[in-house]
Amino acid sequence: MLLLLHRAVVPALRQACRLKPNPSRLCIQACSTNESFQPQHPSLNFSGDNSSSGGWRIMGALLGLGTALAYHDHRCRASQESPPLYTKEEVYSHRSPETGIWVTLGSEVFDVTEFVGLHPGGPSKLMLAAGGPLEPFWALYAVHNQPHVRELLAQYKIGELNPEENVPPTLETSDPYADDPMRHPALKVNSQCPFNAEPPPELLTENYITPNPIFFTRNHLPVPNLDPDTYRLHIVGPPGGQSLSLSLGDLYKFPKHEVTVTLQCAGNRRSEMTRVKEVKGLEWRTGAISTARWAGARLCDVLAQAGHQLSETEAHVCFEGLDSDPTGTAYGASIPLARAMDPEAEVLLAYEMNGQPLPRDHGFPVRVVVPGVVGARHVKWLGRVSVESEESCSHWQRRDYKGFSPSVDWDTVDFDSAPSIQELPIQSAITEPQDGETIEPGEITVKGYAWSGGGRAVIRVDVSLDGGLTWHAADLDGEEQPPRKAWAWRLWQLQASVPAGQKELNIVCKAVDDSYNVQPDTVAPIWNLRGVLSNAWHRVHVHITP
């Protein structure tokens, strides 16, 4: 009897679990292709005194499985029916936990109320899209437009937009990055939206002045396309003073000042920290650093014209860019007023880069250049300058670009406990040869760069070919710079003989500045959850041709 039951039930179960040709996304995994959903043929070879009861257990299991699969089949059939239709107005009315939180993607409608608290970027980010389309936000934060994210979202689908209404925006038509400028194909791209890229090492140190097209690019938001004829820079005056609204022509009337400055991202060489332990941030290698000749008006001259002067109490100059996210939030940062008002600090409102108007990616028409300070404070597409009693309230000033102990993680981090990065520590890296490269025996040429923040001059670069057992002093190239105003890097190189019989070299470099600061030898002790301030000895392993 059991054999007859088996022959009758199993084909029926297979039929019940058969997948429909085009199941609706409303029925995600209602019928699974997973092997665990496939009915198995139980063994019908009974032996011993319990064979009868075992058989009945099998029969019960088969009937139970049949019931479960019939339920799945019912769900699949239900999913073939037309989904509910909603108007955009109905979607818009669901923008709070009380009404439910709905969003759209394409023509589909999703109720993400239960997911808001689980959103990895925090509830506030997802709430920006509440009651409307996800496209503008997915275009801005392109990491969302991935298959696994779409699969997750599909679980929250409740219907579709009424097709009689206007066609919803697409990712292409909503793309805030669609008007970004063209970029040089040599750049190594770390992210497309927003665009972040670095020059390859072999090009980085070919020239003391980095050519504009391969100068490393660090964008946080879409690149604005500003009209130089209508551009205005707003300088907020002090109480009793006067605010200024400056055109480009007005800025040209201030004495023009030029200075060669190296810019370095706080995350330069972050990829080496990732090898120790995962961090959050772009995987910059050694190229998030470049050097240019900048020209513009001194910030101190412009602030003085507006009536600002040094304060006896702590004060900060806050910069706001004209790049912004869909909510209108602009990129912002600040520096101490004492630095901004010091003529010797040479802080610029720059409108030229290497003798040309600023490229769009680098802040056209006006950006801040703060010599000796982390790149995050060099605000691009500058729109507003003010003097405040506290540093900028911008996320990138208060909740980013800060260093922490290796013991601090994302559960224990307190951003208010650490100062914002301003001057950067001593840094150097090898740009030739490349890690993993095979070189000829005989003589080797090692090249690289070195730089220190705060105007501290690089006085020496030590290079080892044996992992740090023995050292050679490299030759330094580049412009001589005044004491405490060494704003630009030093390029260096070492020519040395490869020891006979060597099959490989472990090349290491470390730099020393005029305060005798030196790079730490390993990454682990300086690891931090954001992967900033990565300045351990740089190491390259090469092979020798037999």
Side-chain angles (χ1 to χ4, degrees), residues 237-375:
Q242 66 174 48
S243 295
L244 306 177
S245 180
L246 303 175
S247 67
L248 269 180
D250 294 329
L251 277 177
Y252 295 155
K253 295 175 183 177
F254 286 89
K256 183 177 181 180
H257 188 73
E258 297 189 33
V259 60
T260 302
V261 177
T262 293
L263 269 61
Q264 180 180 222
C265 178
N268 192 29
R269 297 179 59 195
R270 178 181 284 127
S271 59
E272 295 165 53
M273 283 196 174
T274 303
R275 296 173 202 160
V276 174
K277 185 180 176 182
E278 185 179 359
V279 299
K280 287 188 179 181
L282 296 169
E283 286 288 288
W284 295 108
R285 295 172 287 276
T286 58
I289 184 171
S290 298
T291 300
R293 184 76 175 171
W294 308 92
R298 288 181 190 259
L299 177 59
C300 60
D301 294 340
V302 177
L303 290 176
Q305 173 114 0
H308 288 289
Q309 55 188 352
L310 280 175
S311 173
E312 295 181 359
T313 59
E314 182 181 6
H316 304 262
V317 179
C318 299
F319 308 113
E320 188 175 293
L322 293 170
D323 50 337
S324 61
D325 66 15
T327 69
T329 301
Y331 183 86
S334 61
I335 62 173
L337 176 63
R339 182 185 293 272
M341 293 298 294
D342 183 3
E344 294 301 304
E346 301 186 276
V347 181
L348 293 185
L349 301 179
Y351 45 75
E352 286 184 6
M353 178 179 179
N354 294 332
Q356 301 176 347
L358 294 176
R360 280 185 61 205
D361 258 333
H362 300 290
F364 179 83
V366 176
R367 74 173 298 165
V368 184
V369 172
V370 191
V373 168
V374 64

Side-chain angles (χ1 to χ4, degrees), residues 186-210:
L187 291 171
K188 303 296 183 182
V189 179
N190 288 319
S191 73
Q192 284 284 358
C193 301
F195 187 78
N196 290 280
E198 60 190 293
E202 58 270 27
L203 296 183
L204 181 60
T205 52
E206 271 197 347
N207 302 283
Y208 179 70
I209 298 295
T210 311

Side-chain angles (χ1 to χ4, degrees), residues 45 137 384:
N45 295 323
F137 300 91
R384 186 176 188 271

Side-chain angles (χ1 to χ4, degrees), residues 393-402 410 414-416 420 530:
C393 292
S394 167
H395 165 86
W396 292 280
Q397 185 81 23
R398 300 286 186 100
R399 294 291 180 267
D400 203 351
Y401 300 119
K402 295 184 177 185
W410 287 101
D414 177 9
F415 277 95
D416 291 330
S420 302
R530 275 292 280 119

Side-chain angles (χ1 to χ4, degrees), residues 68-140:
L69 291 173
Y71 171 69
H72 279 286
D73 181 61
H74 170 74
R75 288 182 63 194
C76 286
R77 290 178 184 276
S79 73
Q80 302 306 302
E81 300 173 2
S82 299
L85 297 180
Y86 300 100
T87 65
K88 292 180 181 178
E89 185 177 353
E90 288 178 293
V91 175
Y92 185 73
S93 68
H94 292 79
R95 291 176 290 130
S96 70
E98 292 74 26
T99 61
I101 300 162
W102 292 10
V103 295
T104 66
L105 185 68
S107 62
E108 297 176 302
V109 180
F110 306 88
D111 182 348
V112 295
T113 309
E114 296 180 358
F115 179 69
V116 169
L118 305 175
H119 186 247
S124 61
K125 286 289 193 295
L126 184 52
M127 286 300 293
L128 294 174
L134 288 171
E135 281 87 352
F137 300 91
W138 278 27
L140 187 63

